[in-house]
Amino acid sequence: MEWDHDRFRNVIFSYFLLCLARWGFWKLKGRGVVGSLADLYRGAMRTAYGYILRTPGDHGKIQRQVQESLAKMSTKLAAHNLPRHVKLPEQALSAEIVLGELDGLAKMDHTRWEEGYVSGAVYHGEDALLQLQTQAYGKFTVSNPLHPDVFPGVRKMEAEIVTMVLNMFDAPSDAVGVTTAGGTESILMACLSARRRGHAERGITAPEMIIPSSAHAAFRKAGDYFNIMVHTVACPGPSFQVDVRAMSRLINSNTVLLAGSAPNFPHGVIDDIEAISRLAVRKNLCLHVDCCLGSFLMPYLGKAGFKTQLFDFNLHGVTSISCDTHKYGFAPKGNSTLLYRSAKLRTYQYYVCPDWSGGVYASPSIAGSRPGALIAGCWATLMSVGQDGYLDSCVRIVGTAKSIESAIRTGPVLSSELEILGEPLVSVVAFSARNLNIYDIADNMAAKGWHLNALQDPPAINIAVTVPVSKVWERLITDLEQTINEERDKEKKRLESGETAKGKAAGDAAALYGTAGSLPNKGVVVDLATGFLDLLYQA
Ligand SMILES: *Cc1c(COP(=O)(O)O)cnc(C)c1O
Ligand SMILES: *[C@@H]1O[C@H](CO)[C@@H](O)[C@H](O)[C@H]1NC(C)=O
């Protein structure tokens, strides 16, 4: 057969058309005609706006605003009168001096988590537990689970932590798990395992995953790091659960992973894991349930007498679950667990290098050396709180979340302005505002000392109840009422004076999510956030 030029060109062209048709087919199947057009429109707007942002005039102005905001943040971060250290001390300092400096650092002016002013972040923080954790660290300061022969006690504790958590989640007898440095690493590993499984068992080279838009950012990070295309699925009100039918439409031959949250971070809502599980079984896909936040509350909801939902290995489609020991497990920060239905799935996350000149190298997750001290802190926490302790804390924390929810739903001031998003079954309560700007409410609460979380899409704020918050939730409600009255007054005055919404002075949250956040191209937000990360390393 003779291969002339034309025929060759035709083959290439047909292949190109075939790829395009295939892409078009999956796109239309996944997002429908309207959805695909909307995606196309958004993409075009983003690109066009990107160009506008880069035009000399606008670019200069916007960059100046970004720099101004960053300068403001920098002053805020540097607002202290402690000595600055940029070189190693020339001569060794005495322990006394070092401890003195540490005292100063610990006491720096900060948002008062100790008095319950912070949403999430510090989940327990009581003295007795902190002291036990510090003692546990002290006994294992130099230990490293990379050397199980040198530190056998650490290996034993780590294995026991995984097994205790597996038990809590009703795992089948052949289920296994690992510990990681946090929820993000657990999610990264679950995505990596699904990716490698897809490659090994189905030959997938361009993997895709389908996640609720409300799922934790760690999934998108995994997509970025491991080159997995991420499809986000809308979680429409009033339930704010992921739309499982839309999820189903997005499945194609490259799909390796589905995900659901129990509960999600923004709204504290548990997705319909039962329905997602049925889908995963039918299509033979991995399903990761993100129980990082639900951690030690989810398994106790039913026992504590609260309404609950199926979410764990009792659902056959669930192949992995992440559970943060460092959230409602109350372990020290830097600790999470990841559970797999089978040992094979866990093997897919391992890294083994058989031919390194440094010797055969094998490690279970991202880190090489790891701090055994944290494992000791985690183990000591689990043992000292115990089943009765976690049941008690579930009653207290979820009970507080219910009290906050009902105060917002029924209180005269609050119910007239605020609206709860979805049905919060666990510890997070999210709400939006009917008439006022919710970010102004967040900024006003911040001025009163509260650190609540600002959400977007839709604009809202949430609070994750912790042990410290559970002691002061009534003050939260009073401050919220006062805030709403104040903001209403301000709004009235503004309208009377004929001032426009555009001209009004905006607080931090309002500035970030109001103007910058509403642009079709988020380049400005990316610049701001990148600059902020740089600031963190400014000594
Ligand atoms: C906290 C959280 C995670 C993981 O976050 P880390 O900060 O890495 O521990 C994942 N998912 C949800 C829903 C979370 O709230
Ligand atoms: C605790 O943290 C360390 C380091 O962050 C990690 O290596 C270890 O696996 C974690 N252990 C548990 C039980 O979460």
Side-chain angles (χ1 to χ4, degrees):
M1 200 164 87
E2 195 186 314
W3 273 98
D4 56 54
H5 227 77
D6 273 356
R7 196 175 305 164
F8 185 66
R9 218 170 47 202
N10 282 343
V11 169
I12 296 286
F13 187 63
S14 315
Y15 179 72
F16 171 74
L17 275 188
L18 202 76
C19 288
L20 193 70
R22 195 180 127 100
W23 176 83
F25 173 75
W26 288 128
K27 182 88 195 159
L28 281 177
K29 173 175 174 282
R31 302 275 301 150
V33 178
V34 179
S36 301
L37 286 176
D39 285 352
L40 213 66
Y41 173 75
R42 267 195 298 270
M45 282 294 283
R46 202 178 310 129
T47 314
Y49 209 84
Y51 281 118
I52 296 176
L53 285 183
R54 262 176 266 134
T55 58
D58 273 336
H59 185 70
K61 199 171 109 209
I62 290 170
Q63 280 310 312
R64 249 195 326 280
Q65 281 167 353
V66 168
Q67 291 314 323
E68 271 166 29
S69 303
L70 287 172
K72 236 168 75 188
M73 285 188 223
S74 171
T75 348
K76 231 184 196 167
L77 283 175
H80 60 75
N81 40 20
L82 299 177
R84 248 162 46 92
H85 302 290
V86 292
K87 270 190 205 156
L88 287 176
E90 246 164 67
Q91 261 140 26
L93 300 180
S94 71
E96 210 186 336
I97 295 184
V98 176
L99 286 172
E101 291 239 357
L102 284 172
D103 262 340
L105 290 162
K107 288 188 188 128
M108 277 173 79
D109 198 20
H110 61 278
T111 311
R112 306 295 302 168
W113 66 265
E114 301 90 335
E115 287 150 38
Y117 275 114
V118 176
S119 159
V122 180
Y123 291 80
H124 192 284
E126 309 255 286
D127 269 347
L129 184 61
L130 289 184
Q131 266 169 34
L132 176 73
Q133 289 171 343
T134 312
Q135 280 178 331
Y137 292 151
K139 291 186 198 299
F140 291 89
T141 310
V142 296
S143 69
N144 178 356
L146 195 60
H147 309 294
D149 53 330
V150 189
F151 307 107
V154 169
R155 189 212 65 79
K156 177 175 181 291
M157 284 187 283
E158 187 168 22
E160 288 179 356
I161 291 167
V162 171
T163 311
M164 288 191 266
V165 178
L166 279 166
N167 256 306
M168 226 171 45
F169 282 83
D170 262 340
S173 60
D174 46 354
V176 298
V178 292
T179 65
T180 69
T184 298
E185 192 186 359
S186 291
I187 291 172
L188 288 176
M189 290 295 100
C191 295
L192 179 66
S193 162
R195 184 194 206 286
R196 287 181 164 169
R197 178 189 177 207
H199 186 68
E201 298 177 12
R202 291 164 52 205
I204 295 174
T205 53
E208 300 182 9
M209 63 176 161
I210 307 170
I211 64 168
S213 61
S214 58
H216 195 270
F219 287 98
R220 306 186 198 205
K221 195 175 193 175
D224 229 42
Y225 281 8
F226 303 138
N227 226 338
I228 308 170
M229 186 201 262
V230 180
H231 295 282
T232 53
V233 180
C235 305
S239 79
F240 291 91
Q241 289 176 313
V242 68
D243 177 350
V244 182
R245 285 177 59 188
M247 202 170 224
S248 159
R249 282 196 298 272
L250 282 162
I251 296 176
N252 65 37
S253 56
N254 282 331
T255 308
V256 294
L257 179 75
L258 305 179
S261 316
N264 64 35
F265 168 80
H267 314 127
V269 164
I270 308 171
D271 286 313
D272 186 351
I273 310 287
E274 233 179 310
I276 309 177
S277 164
R278 278 197 300 273
L279 194 59
V281 170
R282 191 147 51 82
K283 304 283 186 174
N284 189 23
L285 294 170
C286 289
L287 164 55
H288 181 75
V289 174
D290 177 9
C291 194
C292 282
L293 183 59
S295 53
F296 283 41
L297 294 176
M298 279 305 291
Y300 287 96
L301 273 188
K303 288 173 211 140
F306 296 116
K307 183 174 166 188
T308 183
Q309 237 171 271
L310 284 179
F311 72 101
D312 61 16
F313 288 112
N314 286 308
L315 297 170
H316 292 291
V318 175
T319 53
S320 57
I321 300 178
S322 48
C323 164
D324 282 2
T325 40
H326 73 191
K327 285 194 176 150
Y328 294 102
F330 306 138
K333 275 297 174 219
N335 278 109
S336 168
T337 54
L338 170 58
L339 316 175
Y340 287 107
R341 181 176 286 279
S342 73
K344 195 164 175 205
L345 284 170
R346 180 175 63 180
T347 313
Y348 286 127
Q349 78 152 67
Y350 286 168
Y351 176 74
V352 180
C353 181
D355 53 3
W356 180 36
S357 54
V360 178
Y361 183 95
S363 68
S365 45
I366 290 184
S369 290
R370 294 183 293 140
L374 278 184
I375 294 175
C378 178
W379 187 87
T381 307
L382 267 52
M383 298 300 282
S384 90
V385 179
Q387 294 194 26
D388 53 348
Y390 287 115
L391 182 60
D392 276 355
S393 63
C394 178
V395 170
R396 190 154 142 204
I397 288 168
V398 179
T400 301
K402 305 260 180 226
S403 305
I404 294 175
E405 181 192 352
S406 104
I408 293 178
R409 284 197 200 277
T410 58
V413 180
L414 298 188
S415 67
S416 67
E417 181 56 48
L418 303 179
E419 199 165 357
I420 300 273
L421 304 187
E423 189 186 7
L425 294 185
V426 201
S427 60
V428 172
V429 184
F431 47 91
S432 58
R434 279 183 239 270
N435 302 309
L436 294 171
N437 179 337
I438 191 76
Y439 301 126
D440 288 338
I441 295 178
D443 287 328
N444 190 326
M445 287 295 279
K448 293 186 169 61
W450 289 94
H451 179 107
L452 307 177
N453 302 303
L455 313 171
Q456 48 185 346
D457 245 350
I461 47 184
N462 82 13
I463 176 151
V465 178
T466 60
V467 172
V469 173
S470 73
K471 294 179 196 156
V472 299
W473 71 272
E474 277 121 330
R475 192 174 66 207
L476 172 83
I477 296 300
T478 334
D479 282 354
L480 252 182
E481 283 170 350
Q482 198 187 335
T483 294
I484 286 173
N485 287 332
E486 287 166 6
E487 289 301 318
R488 279 184 175 156
D489 282 349
K490 273 193 224 162
E491 194 64 12
K492 220 168 88 196
K493 283 203 192 100
R494 192 173 63 74
L495 288 177
E496 280 164 9
S497 73
E499 187 192 342
T500 62
K502 262 198 168 143
K504 85 179 179 195
D508 290 349
L512 182 59
Y513 294 103
T515 329
S518 64
L519 302 175
N521 182 306
K522 307 256 184 229
V524 180
V525 182
V526 174
D527 287 351
L528 257 175
T530 308
F532 176 71
L533 292 180
D534 289 342
L535 284 182
L536 296 181
Y537 289 96
Q538 208 172 66

